[in-house]
Amino acid sequence: MLYRENGQFKTSYRADQQVFPILQDRVAIWGLVLLAIVAVPLVAPEYLFRAILIPFLILSLAALGLNILVGYCGQISLGTGGFMAVGAYAAYNFFVRVDGMPVVVAILMGGVCATVVGVLFGIPSLRIKGLYLAVATLAAQFFTDWAFLRIKWFTNNSSSGSVNVAGLNVFGFPIETPAQKYLFCLGFVLVFALIAKNLVRSHIGRSWMAMRDMDVAAAVIGIRPVYAKLTAFAVSSFFVGVAGALWGFVHLGSWEPAAFNIDRSFQLLFMVIIGGLGSIMGSFFGAAFIVILPIVLDNLTVALGFDTALAAHLTFMVFGALIVFFLIVEPHGLARLWSTAKEKLRLWPFPH
Amino acid sequence: MTTLKTLALTAAALAATVAGTPAHAQAKEQFFPVLVYRTGAYAPNGVPFANGYVDYLKYVNAKGGINGVKISYEECETGYATDKGVECYERLKGKNATVFQPLSTGITFALTEKAPGDKIPLITAGYGRSESTDGMVFKWNFPLTGTYWDAADVLVQHVAKKEGGADKLKGKKIALVYHDSPFGKEPIALLQERAKMNGFELSLLPVAHPGVEQKATWLQIRQSRPDYIFLWGWGVMNSTALKEAVATGYPRDKMYGVWWAGAEPDVRDVGDGAKGYNALALQHGAEPNAKITQDILKDVHGKGQGTGPKDEVGQVLYMRGLVAAMLAVEGVKRAQERFGKGKVMTGEQARWGYENLALDQKKLDALGFAGVMRPISTSCADHRGSVWARLHTWDGKKWNFSSDWYEADQSIIKPMIKQAADKYAAEKKLTRRTPEDCQS
């Protein structure tokens, strides 16, 4: 068997605390990262970049952010689309109003603004939980929808309410071709995934999980609920805001509030649930499932010669059935299926 | 590991995409991508448009193609969603797409950013960005047959005429009930300009997507009793507005819809309640007796190849799809005059055709569009080609033309276009095209 940890002994705390303690995992991950950075831009056609990889990467980032809040801290949020919108519009305003503003800084500032709004709307979480909180965050969604439709300042007085950006570049390198856009997003996603992974392994992440599992008990052992919940909201909204800015800047190029409506919030929540609550990898699985699968189904049904309307309906039906199927087979999401598979490989034939 | 699964899925997606597209690559055919929405909230209006569009392409093929070049086409379902539209665009553009017609202002905005890079023209017949009329800045956009600014201007002119002169508009109240999206917001700039000029009072009443929730809006109308209502709706929003008008007791003959609010699906369910409701006709209205309609009934539906129900042929939205397809085909025909008859045109060559459209009355008559529409001719500076519109009124059974032709007042619109296009160019750091570029 190739995937065994026999003979891999850790002799230092450092070695024991690695993100991927097993050599094979590390090799595989580095291989995949190299593949994603070097090989994919060389071979992938434009359609793959623009229609699949870029949306997948950006929505993975948003799902990652939401997973921190919902999966790790247990605070259900339906305002993700709204926080994405805050990120996108804030980044837009920094970009067009400040002369010579670098794109990366604008996008990160979008994330910062989303953080502020996220924390504001996170304050109710100190008093209410569960479904009640979901409704409170829904208010964030409606509020941002309203604000970006109505307050003209946010859209730089655009008469139609639609904004656009162009001429993106990083240190003089233009971000124009699909491969450049893909690498730009990939850079963000890799860095943020690493940050997220390390955050959830740190004391902050542990306090989030303690809050999620039992807030009273967590408070008793000395975790401050205010701090834990608000940091979760802050980090989550920052990620989501950056993802929103990327969605507007890199993927769409021109957008209106409808790009971040309540459907987007639901879509992200489904990604997190299907991918796996409380799992970094699950965010990616969920994004892949929700972004890529409908497109594949769509292409398949059209290729099979159904007419457009029937194909669209079939896609919806098959997609819905698959969601139900996966949730029945593994309520803990795709990430759990994946880790069970790994356990099976390591502890054949009796995984636990 | 994260990416492993992703890659597997991606590979599957890629395989599916490749497998799905065997036909177009090799054949010597002019490929027309067709973005449609046959599902979702706007499907009742999207379907007849799509049927008309596809039927016309079939009709051209039945007549031997464009100077012998057969047309191929592929539909892609957008559901009126911008990100789905972008995905469709990416999927279909690689097949040597001639021209895209997104049929959604939101998708138009997103594609406006992409089309120049891909060198594919964009026809937005009667929708999209009004400032894209300025071809010196928007090289790839073609809002043929008119924009929302023209539409709003014509409505004001018509109302002024009803009142007995533009000076009588002073102090009148006009309410704009609009779809809260770029589509609905487009006319606001012009109406505000007109309100300043003519002295009427404009109130703006937005309705959220998809438009079924209008109680609050109509409560406001009940309170303020505007003299006229301009309805900038699409899909279910229009019939809902009419039903609310019935419930509120607002006279339907004081309601004026834009050309996307004046088709059969909008009024059919309201029936007699909608009697007297007016809407702009985008040159054409319902044309069951036009020659082209009869030809399509004979050559496409008659041979069992029709798309959609037969009794829909000649209805307003069906005709709009037909006209949009005709414009797309005529641009290619025009391009062939320059780049070689009987050849497949690239998107870039077709663009020249759309920029030099010269559809005079004689050509229109020959195409079977006599009486359906007025001549259109475009140029480098004017990508719209025509500013004519008329109104039609619902009599409870069908749409009847109820006004003469109006020409939108360019003395107001032209400076606005220039200003908006300049603003866009400045934001994008674009320079205006030079006269030499116009020759290309």
Side-chain angles (χ1 to χ4, degrees):
Chain A
M1 295 296 281
L2 284 171
Y3 193 68
R4 280 273 166 83
E5 50 190 319
N6 294 8
Q8 297 184 28
F9 302 109
K10 280 103 186 172
T11 50
S12 66
Y13 283 115
R14 218 181 127 74
D16 201 32
Q17 287 177 346
Q18 290 187 85
V19 176
F20 297 105
I22 304 168
L23 179 69
Q24 287 90 329
D25 281 355
R26 283 199 297 279
V27 173
I29 279 292
W30 278 114
L32 282 172
V33 168
L34 278 181
L35 191 76
I37 294 177
V38 182
V40 171
L42 288 178
V43 296
E46 189 176 352
Y47 172 71
L48 189 65
F49 281 128
R50 295 223 201 210
I52 294 178
L53 288 177
I54 292 173
F56 160 70
L57 283 175
I58 299 174
L59 290 181
S60 308
L61 183 59
L64 201 59
L66 184 64
N67 214 337
I68 286 174
L69 190 63
V70 180
Y72 284 98
C73 197
Q75 312 292 314
I76 300 174
S77 166
L78 282 175
T80 328
F83 298 138
M84 275 180 90
V86 173
Y89 280 94
Y92 167 76
N93 277 299
F94 278 109
F95 190 65
V96 297
R97 285 174 197 280
V98 183
D99 244 3
M101 175 63 106
V103 178
V104 177
V105 179
I107 288 175
L108 292 177
M109 287 308 289
V112 171
C113 292
T115 309
V116 174
V117 178
V119 169
L120 271 180
F121 279 97
I123 289 173
S125 72
L126 307 175
R127 300 296 291 271
I128 52 179
K129 341 182 228 197
L131 275 178
Y132 300 93
L133 180 63
V135 174
T137 51
L138 201 58
Q141 176 72 49
F142 291 139
F143 175 75
T144 53
D145 270 1
W146 173 84
F148 295 125
L149 274 173
R150 289 282 165 281
I151 304 175
K152 289 210 146 207
W153 188 86
F154 286 128
T155 55
N156 204 5
N157 299 318
S158 145
S159 63
S160 60
S162 170
V163 300
N164 61 72
V165 289
L168 307 180
N169 66 76
V170 183
F171 305 121
F173 293 105
I175 311 172
E176 272 162 15
T177 68
Q180 287 162 341
K181 288 183 170 179
Y182 160 78
L183 285 174
F184 185 68
C185 294
L186 185 67
F188 271 97
V189 172
L190 287 179
V191 171
F192 277 80
L194 195 65
I195 293 175
K197 184 75 192 172
N198 281 308
L199 266 178
V200 299
R201 283 152 23 101
S202 71
H203 74 280
I204 301 176
R206 291 184 197 289
S207 66
W208 293 342
M209 286 183 264
M211 290 307 305
R212 169 192 68 190
D213 292 341
M214 179 120 203
D215 51 353
V216 178
V220 167
I221 59 169
I223 289 166
R224 281 179 296 155
V226 178
Y227 181 75
K229 284 180 179 175
L230 290 188
T231 47
F233 263 98
V235 174
S236 161
S237 330
F238 182 72
F239 277 43
V240 170
V242 168
L246 286 174
W247 189 256
F249 276 50
V250 180
H251 181 52
L252 293 179
S254 163
W255 69 94
E256 46 170 317
F260 304 105
N261 64 8
I262 183 117
D263 293 346
R264 183 76 60 214
S265 298
F266 284 127
Q267 194 189 28
L268 285 163
L269 196 62
F270 297 154
M271 279 182 198
V272 170
I273 291 172
I274 290 166
L277 286 164
S279 155
I280 299 294
M281 212 170 358
S283 315
F284 288 90
F285 286 156
F289 189 86
I290 301 261
V291 173
I292 299 171
L293 195 67
I295 295 179
V296 174
L297 287 173
D298 216 30
N299 276 313
L300 277 179
T301 43
V302 171
L304 290 174
F306 295 107
D307 74 54
T308 323
L310 183 61
H313 288 131
L314 267 180
T315 304
F316 279 130
M317 280 167 5
V318 175
F319 185 59
L322 276 174
I323 290 179
V324 174
F325 171 78
F326 271 114
L327 288 181
I328 289 172
V329 171
E330 183 51 78
H332 297 292
L334 298 173
R336 183 84 195 119
L337 280 178
W338 177 247
S339 67
T340 311
K342 283 206 302 180
E343 292 294 330
K344 284 198 171 156
L345 281 174
R346 285 161 70 180
L347 297 167
W348 185 264
F350 299 116
H352 53 73
Chain B
M1 258 130 298
T2 322
T3 3
L4 197 62
K5 181 93 173 196
T6 322
L7 274 180
L9 283 170
T10 318
L14 185 63
T17 328
V18 173
T21 59
H24 307 289
Q26 72 277 28
K28 196 171 163 279
E29 289 173 334
Q30 190 74 41
F31 175 62
F32 285 90
V34 188
L35 302 193
V36 299
Y37 33 98
R38 293 178 181 275
T39 62
Y42 301 95
N45 296 51
V47 171
F49 183 96
N51 290 344
Y53 198 96
V54 171
D55 271 356
Y56 189 79
L57 297 181
K58 286 180 182 167
Y59 169 74
V60 172
N61 268 348
K63 290 278 168 191
I66 311 172
N67 290 328
V69 179
K70 286 272 175 198
I71 289 175
S72 66
Y73 63 89
E74 187 176 329
E75 285 189 18
C76 185
E77 172 73 25
T78 68
Y80 202 71
T82 303
D83 50 349
K84 272 291 281 167
V86 170
E87 196 263 321
C88 281
Y89 170 80
E90 299 296 344
R91 189 191 304 177
L92 297 179
K93 79 173 184 201
K95 301 175 184 177
N96 198 8
T98 312
V99 58
F100 276 92
Q101 306 208 29
L103 194 56
S104 142
T105 302
I107 300 175
T108 305
F109 273 83
L111 296 191
T112 299
E113 309 305 310
K114 293 173 190 286
D118 298 320
K119 303 204 182 302
I120 300 174
L122 217 56
I123 294 182
T124 54
Y127 53 99
R129 316 178 71 117
S130 301
E131 66 265 36
S132 64
T133 298
D134 189 341
M136 303 300 272
V137 171
F138 294 88
K139 186 174 174 182
W140 299 88
N141 289 47
F142 294 91
L144 297 171
T145 66
T147 67
Y148 293 137
W149 288 351
D150 300 324
D153 192 75
V154 167
L155 283 183
V156 175
Q157 282 187 39
H158 181 74
V159 168
K161 197 171 166 191
K162 278 221 131 162
E163 291 287 331
D167 49 321
K168 299 274 178 18
L169 280 178
K170 206 169 208 85
K172 289 268 182 291
K173 282 191 273 187
I174 296 180
L176 175 70
V177 177
Y178 65 97
H179 192 266
D180 205 354
S181 67
F183 153 60
K185 285 181 184 168
E186 270 290 320
I188 294 176
L190 183 116
L191 287 173
Q192 282 171 338
E193 195 74 24
R194 269 285 193 174
K196 245 186 282 165
M197 213 173 94
N198 299 103
F200 61 83
E201 190 187 316
L202 177 71
S203 53
L204 302 174
L205 303 173
V207 173
H209 155 93
V212 283
E213 192 56 63
Q214 300 185 14
K215 284 277 181 257
T217 311
W218 286 87
L219 208 60
Q220 275 173 282
I221 288 169
R222 197 190 285 260
Q223 282 168 347
S224 63
R225 282 277 152 187
D227 296 295
Y228 293 99
I229 288 179
F230 290 173
L231 182 62
W232 231 262
W234 182 225
V236 70
M237 174 177 161
N238 297 327
S239 47
T240 311
L242 283 166
K243 281 178 197 155
E244 292 288 348
V246 174
T248 315
Y250 190 88
R252 263 73 71 198
D253 56 356
K254 299 274 186 187
M255 291 175 68
Y256 291 87
V258 69
W259 41 59
W260 299 106
E264 285 80 2
D266 305 320
V267 286
R268 204 189 290 125
D269 297 346
V270 196
D272 273 351
K275 211 184 251 180
Y277 167 65
N278 312 285
L280 271 175
L282 182 65
Q283 298 210 355
H284 70 85
E287 311 279 358
N289 303 316
K291 180 165 177 295
I292 183 69
T293 316
Q294 298 304 323
D295 282 355
I296 284 192
L297 279 174
K298 190 171 87 214
D299 293 332
V300 181
H301 276 266
K303 293 190 179 131
Q305 290 169 342
T307 323
K310 204 168 180 175
D311 55 358
E312 195 182 70
V313 178
Q315 289 188 356
V316 176
L317 284 165
Y318 183 93
M319 288 309 290
R320 191 144 319 148
L322 203 72
V323 168
M326 183 273 282
L327 293 168
V329 170
E330 285 310 303
V332 173
K333 212 183 265 174
R334 181 86 176 93
Q336 284 189 354
E337 286 174 20
R338 173 170 169 176
F339 298 103
K341 275 197 178 157
K343 284 192 190 148
V344 175
M345 294 290 111
T346 63
E348 213 172 349
Q349 289 168 332
R351 192 203 69 80
W352 184 88
Y354 298 125
E355 192 164 275
N356 294 281
L357 267 185
L359 281 174
D360 52 19
Q361 197 58 51
K362 216 172 98 207
K363 276 192 195 165
L364 285 176
D365 293 351
L367 288 168
F369 284 79
V372 176
M373 58 190 292
R374 287 202 155 196
I376 288 186
S377 73
T378 52
S379 69
C380 197
D382 175 16
H383 272 195
R384 167 185 52 186
S386 153
V387 290
W388 296 94
R390 50 185 162 165
L391 281 99
H392 53 185
T393 305
W394 179 251
D395 69 0
K397 299 253 170 349
K398 62 182 194 318
W399 288 99
N400 301 306
F401 289 109
S402 55
S403 87
D404 270 345
W405 289 97
Y406 287 96
E407 189 176 11
D409 187 348
Q410 293 308 302
S411 64
I412 308 166
I413 295 173
K414 229 179 188 160
M416 287 178 65
I417 288 173
K418 175 90 170 46
Q419 195 194 356
D422 280 343
K423 184 175 173 232
Y424 181 85
E427 274 175 17
K428 294 272 168 182
K429 300 181 180 67
L430 292 171
T431 46
R432 287 183 158 266
R433 291 164 66 195
T434 55
E436 294 87 71
D437 194 40
C438 282
Q439 304 305 317
S440 66

